[in-house]
Short mmCIF file of all heavy atoms in Angstrom, two decimals:
data_model
loop_
_atom_site.label_atom_id
_atom_site.label_comp_id
_atom_site.label_asym_id
_atom_site.label_seq_id
_atom_site.Cartn_x
_atom_site.Cartn_y
_atom_site.Cartn_z
N ASP A 1 105.65 132.19 210.13
CA ASP A 1 107.06 132.54 210.30
C ASP A 1 107.27 134.05 210.24
O ASP A 1 108.14 134.58 210.94
CB ASP A 1 107.90 131.87 209.21
CG ASP A 1 108.04 130.37 209.43
OD1 ASP A 1 107.77 129.89 210.56
OD2 ASP A 1 108.40 129.67 208.47
N SER A 2 106.47 134.72 209.45
CA SER A 2 106.67 136.16 209.24
C SER A 2 106.35 137.00 210.49
O SER A 2 106.76 138.16 210.55
CB SER A 2 105.79 136.64 208.08
OG SER A 2 104.42 136.39 208.35
N VAL A 3 105.65 136.42 211.46
CA VAL A 3 105.29 137.20 212.65
C VAL A 3 105.91 136.66 213.93
O VAL A 3 105.75 137.27 214.99
CB VAL A 3 103.75 137.29 212.81
CG1 VAL A 3 103.11 137.82 211.53
CG2 VAL A 3 103.15 135.95 213.21
N LYS A 4 106.59 135.54 213.84
CA LYS A 4 107.21 134.96 215.04
C LYS A 4 108.16 135.95 215.69
O LYS A 4 108.97 136.59 215.01
CB LYS A 4 107.96 133.68 214.68
CG LYS A 4 107.06 132.48 214.46
CD LYS A 4 107.87 131.24 214.12
CE LYS A 4 106.95 130.04 213.89
NZ LYS A 4 107.73 128.84 213.47
N GLY A 5 108.04 136.08 217.00
CA GLY A 5 108.89 136.99 217.74
C GLY A 5 108.38 138.42 217.78
O GLY A 5 108.89 139.25 218.54
N ARG A 6 107.35 138.71 216.97
CA ARG A 6 106.78 140.08 216.96
C ARG A 6 105.32 140.09 217.44
O ARG A 6 104.89 141.06 218.07
CB ARG A 6 106.83 140.66 215.54
CG ARG A 6 108.23 140.77 214.98
CD ARG A 6 108.23 141.54 213.65
NE ARG A 6 107.44 140.88 212.62
CZ ARG A 6 106.43 141.46 211.97
NH1 ARG A 6 106.07 142.69 212.24
NH2 ARG A 6 105.78 140.78 211.02
N PHE A 7 104.59 139.03 217.13
CA PHE A 7 103.17 138.96 217.49
C PHE A 7 102.98 137.90 218.56
O PHE A 7 103.67 136.87 218.56
CB PHE A 7 102.32 138.59 216.28
CG PHE A 7 102.24 139.63 215.20
CD1 PHE A 7 103.03 140.77 215.21
CD2 PHE A 7 101.36 139.45 214.14
CE1 PHE A 7 102.96 141.71 214.21
CE2 PHE A 7 101.26 140.39 213.13
CZ PHE A 7 102.06 141.52 213.16
N THR A 8 102.02 138.14 219.44
CA THR A 8 101.66 137.17 220.47
C THR A 8 100.15 137.00 220.51
O THR A 8 99.42 137.98 220.65
CB THR A 8 102.16 137.62 221.85
OG1 THR A 8 103.57 137.79 221.82
CG2 THR A 8 101.81 136.57 222.91
N ILE A 9 99.71 135.75 220.38
CA ILE A 9 98.28 135.44 220.47
C ILE A 9 97.98 134.92 221.86
O ILE A 9 98.78 134.18 222.46
CB ILE A 9 97.85 134.43 219.38
CG1 ILE A 9 96.33 134.32 219.31
CG2 ILE A 9 98.50 133.06 219.59
CD1 ILE A 9 95.82 133.54 218.10
N SER A 10 96.82 135.31 222.38
CA SER A 10 96.38 134.82 223.67
C SER A 10 94.86 134.76 223.67
O SER A 10 94.21 135.27 222.75
CB SER A 10 96.88 135.73 224.81
OG SER A 10 96.38 137.05 224.66
N ARG A 11 94.30 134.14 224.69
CA ARG A 11 92.85 134.04 224.75
C ARG A 11 92.39 133.97 226.19
O ARG A 11 93.14 133.56 227.09
CB ARG A 11 92.33 132.84 223.96
CG ARG A 11 92.77 131.50 224.47
CD ARG A 11 92.29 130.37 223.54
NE ARG A 11 90.85 130.15 223.63
CZ ARG A 11 90.16 129.39 222.77
NH1 ARG A 11 90.78 128.82 221.74
NH2 ARG A 11 88.86 129.22 222.94
N ASP A 12 91.14 134.37 226.37
CA ASP A 12 90.47 134.26 227.66
C ASP A 12 89.26 133.35 227.43
O ASP A 12 88.27 133.78 226.84
CB ASP A 12 90.03 135.66 228.13
CG ASP A 12 89.40 135.64 229.51
OD1 ASP A 12 88.82 134.61 229.91
OD2 ASP A 12 89.46 136.67 230.19
N ASN A 13 89.37 132.12 227.87
CA ASN A 13 88.30 131.16 227.61
C ASN A 13 86.99 131.55 228.29
O ASN A 13 85.92 131.30 227.76
CB ASN A 13 88.72 129.76 228.06
CG ASN A 13 89.68 129.10 227.08
OD1 ASN A 13 89.70 129.41 225.90
ND2 ASN A 13 90.48 128.18 227.57
N ALA A 14 87.09 132.17 229.44
CA ALA A 14 85.88 132.56 230.17
C ALA A 14 85.10 133.62 229.38
O ALA A 14 83.87 133.69 229.48
CB ALA A 14 86.23 133.08 231.55
N LYS A 15 85.82 134.43 228.61
CA LYS A 15 85.18 135.50 227.84
C LYS A 15 85.04 135.16 226.37
O LYS A 15 84.52 135.97 225.60
CB LYS A 15 86.00 136.79 227.98
CG LYS A 15 86.06 137.35 229.39
CD LYS A 15 86.88 138.63 229.42
CE LYS A 15 86.96 139.21 230.82
NZ LYS A 15 87.77 140.46 230.85
N ASN A 16 85.50 133.96 225.98
CA ASN A 16 85.48 133.58 224.56
C ASN A 16 86.10 134.67 223.69
O ASN A 16 85.56 135.06 222.65
CB ASN A 16 84.06 133.28 224.09
CG ASN A 16 83.52 132.00 224.71
OD1 ASN A 16 84.23 131.01 224.84
ND2 ASN A 16 82.27 132.04 225.13
N THR A 17 87.24 135.17 224.14
CA THR A 17 87.90 136.28 223.47
C THR A 17 89.33 135.89 223.15
O THR A 17 90.01 135.26 223.97
CB THR A 17 87.88 137.53 224.35
OG1 THR A 17 86.51 137.90 224.58
CG2 THR A 17 88.60 138.68 223.69
N VAL A 18 89.77 136.27 221.96
CA VAL A 18 91.14 136.05 221.55
C VAL A 18 91.79 137.40 221.25
O VAL A 18 91.12 138.32 220.78
CB VAL A 18 91.22 135.10 220.33
CG1 VAL A 18 90.54 135.72 219.11
CG2 VAL A 18 92.65 134.72 220.01
N TYR A 19 93.07 137.49 221.56
CA TYR A 19 93.82 138.74 221.38
C TYR A 19 95.02 138.50 220.48
O TYR A 19 95.55 137.39 220.41
CB TYR A 19 94.30 139.26 222.73
CG TYR A 19 93.21 139.41 223.76
CD1 TYR A 19 92.98 138.39 224.69
CD2 TYR A 19 92.43 140.56 223.81
CE1 TYR A 19 91.98 138.52 225.64
CE2 TYR A 19 91.43 140.68 224.76
CZ TYR A 19 91.20 139.66 225.67
OH TYR A 19 90.21 139.78 226.60
N LEU A 20 95.45 139.55 219.83
CA LEU A 20 96.68 139.51 219.06
C LEU A 20 97.47 140.77 219.39
O LEU A 20 97.08 141.87 219.00
CB LEU A 20 96.42 139.43 217.56
CG LEU A 20 97.66 139.23 216.70
CD1 LEU A 20 98.26 137.83 216.93
CD2 LEU A 20 97.35 139.42 215.22
N GLN A 21 98.53 140.59 220.15
CA GLN A 21 99.43 141.70 220.46
C GLN A 21 100.48 141.76 219.37
O GLN A 21 101.24 140.81 219.18
CB GLN A 21 100.09 141.50 221.83
CG GLN A 21 101.05 142.59 222.22
CD GLN A 21 100.34 143.92 222.43
OE1 GLN A 21 99.32 144.00 223.12
NE2 GLN A 21 100.89 144.97 221.84
N MET A 22 100.51 142.87 218.67
CA MET A 22 101.42 143.04 217.54
C MET A 22 102.43 144.13 217.89
O MET A 22 102.03 145.23 218.29
CB MET A 22 100.65 143.43 216.28
CG MET A 22 99.54 142.45 215.93
SD MET A 22 98.73 142.85 214.36
CE MET A 22 97.93 144.38 214.81
N SER A 23 103.69 143.83 217.73
CA SER A 23 104.73 144.81 217.95
C SER A 23 105.71 144.74 216.79
O SER A 23 105.70 143.80 216.00
CB SER A 23 105.44 144.56 219.29
OG SER A 23 106.03 143.28 219.30
N GLY A 24 106.57 145.75 216.71
CA GLY A 24 107.52 145.79 215.60
C GLY A 24 106.83 145.77 214.26
O GLY A 24 107.30 145.13 213.32
N LEU A 25 105.72 146.49 214.15
CA LEU A 25 104.92 146.43 212.92
C LEU A 25 105.68 147.00 211.73
O LEU A 25 106.45 147.96 211.85
CB LEU A 25 103.60 147.16 213.13
CG LEU A 25 102.58 146.34 213.94
CD1 LEU A 25 101.50 147.22 214.52
CD2 LEU A 25 101.97 145.25 213.06
N ARG A 26 105.43 146.37 210.59
CA ARG A 26 106.09 146.72 209.34
C ARG A 26 105.05 147.05 208.28
O ARG A 26 103.90 146.61 208.38
CB ARG A 26 106.93 145.52 208.86
CG ARG A 26 107.92 145.00 209.88
CD ARG A 26 108.46 143.65 209.46
NE ARG A 26 109.42 143.11 210.42
CZ ARG A 26 109.87 141.87 210.42
NH1 ARG A 26 109.44 141.02 209.48
NH2 ARG A 26 110.74 141.46 211.33
N PRO A 27 105.44 147.78 207.25
CA PRO A 27 104.46 148.06 206.18
C PRO A 27 103.85 146.79 205.59
O PRO A 27 102.66 146.80 205.23
CB PRO A 27 105.31 148.80 205.15
CG PRO A 27 106.37 149.48 205.95
CD PRO A 27 106.70 148.52 207.06
N GLU A 28 104.60 145.73 205.53
CA GLU A 28 104.07 144.48 204.97
C GLU A 28 103.04 143.80 205.89
O GLU A 28 102.43 142.81 205.50
CB GLU A 28 105.19 143.49 204.64
CG GLU A 28 106.13 143.19 205.79
CD GLU A 28 107.39 144.04 205.75
OE1 GLU A 28 107.30 145.24 205.42
OE2 GLU A 28 108.47 143.48 206.09
N ASP A 29 102.85 144.32 207.08
CA ASP A 29 101.80 143.81 207.96
C ASP A 29 100.44 144.46 207.66
O ASP A 29 99.43 144.06 208.24
CB ASP A 29 102.15 144.07 209.44
CG ASP A 29 103.36 143.30 209.89
OD1 ASP A 29 103.48 142.10 209.55
OD2 ASP A 29 104.20 143.88 210.61
N THR A 30 100.45 145.45 206.77
CA THR A 30 99.20 146.11 206.39
C THR A 30 98.24 145.10 205.77
O THR A 30 98.59 144.41 204.81
CB THR A 30 99.47 147.24 205.41
OG1 THR A 30 100.23 148.26 206.07
CG2 THR A 30 98.17 147.84 204.88
N ALA A 31 97.05 145.02 206.34
CA ALA A 31 96.05 144.04 205.86
C ALA A 31 94.77 144.21 206.67
O ALA A 31 94.75 144.89 207.70
CB ALA A 31 96.58 142.62 206.03
N VAL A 32 93.74 143.55 206.19
CA VAL A 32 92.55 143.36 207.01
C VAL A 32 92.78 142.09 207.82
O VAL A 32 93.11 141.03 207.26
CB VAL A 32 91.28 143.23 206.15
CG1 VAL A 32 90.07 142.95 207.05
CG2 VAL A 32 91.06 144.50 205.33
N TYR A 33 92.62 142.20 209.11
CA TYR A 33 92.84 141.07 210.01
C TYR A 33 91.49 140.49 210.41
O TYR A 33 90.61 141.21 210.89
CB TYR A 33 93.62 141.52 211.25
CG TYR A 33 95.09 141.72 210.95
CD1 TYR A 33 95.53 142.78 210.16
CD2 TYR A 33 96.04 140.84 211.45
CE1 TYR A 33 96.87 142.94 209.87
CE2 TYR A 33 97.38 140.99 211.17
CZ TYR A 33 97.79 142.05 210.37
OH TYR A 33 99.13 142.21 210.08
N TYR A 34 91.36 139.19 210.18
CA TYR A 34 90.13 138.48 210.45
C TYR A 34 90.31 137.50 211.61
O TYR A 34 91.34 136.80 211.70
CB TYR A 34 89.68 137.69 209.23
CG TYR A 34 89.33 138.52 208.04
CD1 TYR A 34 90.30 138.84 207.09
CD2 TYR A 34 88.03 139.00 207.84
CE1 TYR A 34 89.97 139.61 205.98
CE2 TYR A 34 87.70 139.76 206.73
CZ TYR A 34 88.69 140.06 205.81
OH TYR A 34 88.37 140.83 204.71
N CYS A 35 89.31 137.41 212.42
CA CYS A 35 89.26 136.44 213.50
C CYS A 35 88.48 135.22 213.03
O CYS A 35 87.47 135.36 212.31
CB CYS A 35 88.57 137.08 214.70
SG CYS A 35 88.27 136.00 216.09
N LYS A 36 88.94 134.04 213.41
CA LYS A 36 88.24 132.81 213.07
C LYS A 36 88.10 131.91 214.29
O LYS A 36 89.02 131.80 215.10
CB LYS A 36 88.99 132.05 211.98
CG LYS A 36 88.21 130.85 211.43
CD LYS A 36 89.00 130.08 210.38
CE LYS A 36 89.84 129.00 210.98
NZ LYS A 36 90.40 128.09 209.95
N LEU A 37 86.94 131.30 214.38
CA LEU A 37 86.69 130.28 215.41
C LEU A 37 86.41 128.97 214.70
O LEU A 37 85.51 128.91 213.85
CB LEU A 37 85.50 130.68 216.28
CG LEU A 37 84.97 129.59 217.22
CD1 LEU A 37 85.98 129.28 218.31
CD2 LEU A 37 83.64 130.02 217.84
N GLY A 38 87.19 127.96 215.00
CA GLY A 38 86.96 126.62 214.47
C GLY A 38 86.41 125.72 215.56
O GLY A 38 87.02 125.59 216.63
N MET A 39 85.26 125.12 215.28
CA MET A 39 84.57 124.34 216.34
C MET A 39 83.76 123.23 215.68
O MET A 39 82.93 123.53 214.82
CB MET A 39 83.69 125.28 217.15
CG MET A 39 82.94 124.66 218.30
SD MET A 39 82.03 125.92 219.24
CE MET A 39 80.88 126.52 218.02
N PHE A 40 84.05 122.00 216.05
CA PHE A 40 83.30 120.84 215.56
C PHE A 40 83.19 120.82 214.03
O PHE A 40 82.12 120.56 213.48
CB PHE A 40 81.91 120.78 216.19
CG PHE A 40 81.95 120.68 217.69
CD1 PHE A 40 81.18 121.51 218.47
CD2 PHE A 40 82.79 119.77 218.32
CE1 PHE A 40 81.22 121.43 219.87
CE2 PHE A 40 82.85 119.69 219.71
CZ PHE A 40 82.05 120.53 220.48
N GLY A 41 84.31 121.09 213.39
CA GLY A 41 84.37 121.00 211.94
C GLY A 41 83.81 122.19 211.18
O GLY A 41 83.78 122.17 209.94
N ARG A 42 83.41 123.22 211.88
CA ARG A 42 82.89 124.42 211.21
C ARG A 42 83.76 125.61 211.55
O ARG A 42 84.31 125.69 212.65
CB ARG A 42 81.45 124.69 211.63
CG ARG A 42 80.44 123.68 211.13
CD ARG A 42 79.03 124.17 211.34
NE ARG A 42 78.75 125.40 210.58
CZ ARG A 42 77.58 126.03 210.58
NH1 ARG A 42 76.57 125.54 211.31
NH2 ARG A 42 77.41 127.12 209.88
#
């Protein structure tokens, strides 16, 4: 909920790449951002 309307996630399946477009950034968005892939229960 905290990022709805400000962040947009997208992916390119051919490249196995995911993107996060972040706009309207706020001090409370400060963090380490981690990417995760979930596949077959792992």
Side-chain angles (χ1 to χ4, degrees):
D1 288 343
S2 59
V3 306
K4 283 180 181 176
R6 300 188 298 124
F7 292 9
T8 301
I9 191 169
S10 61
R11 64 185 288 168
D12 184 333
N13 283 335
K15 296 180 180 179
N16 291 319
T17 298
V18 63
Y19 307 96
L20 186 69
Q21 179 66 48
M22 305 185 292
S23 60
L25 283 161
R26 306 166 180 168
E28 54 264 39
D29 295 317
T30 294
V32 177
Y33 284 70
Y34 296 91
C35 175
K36 189 182 89 169
L37 169 67
M39 182 176 63
F40 300 131
R42 291 192 62 179

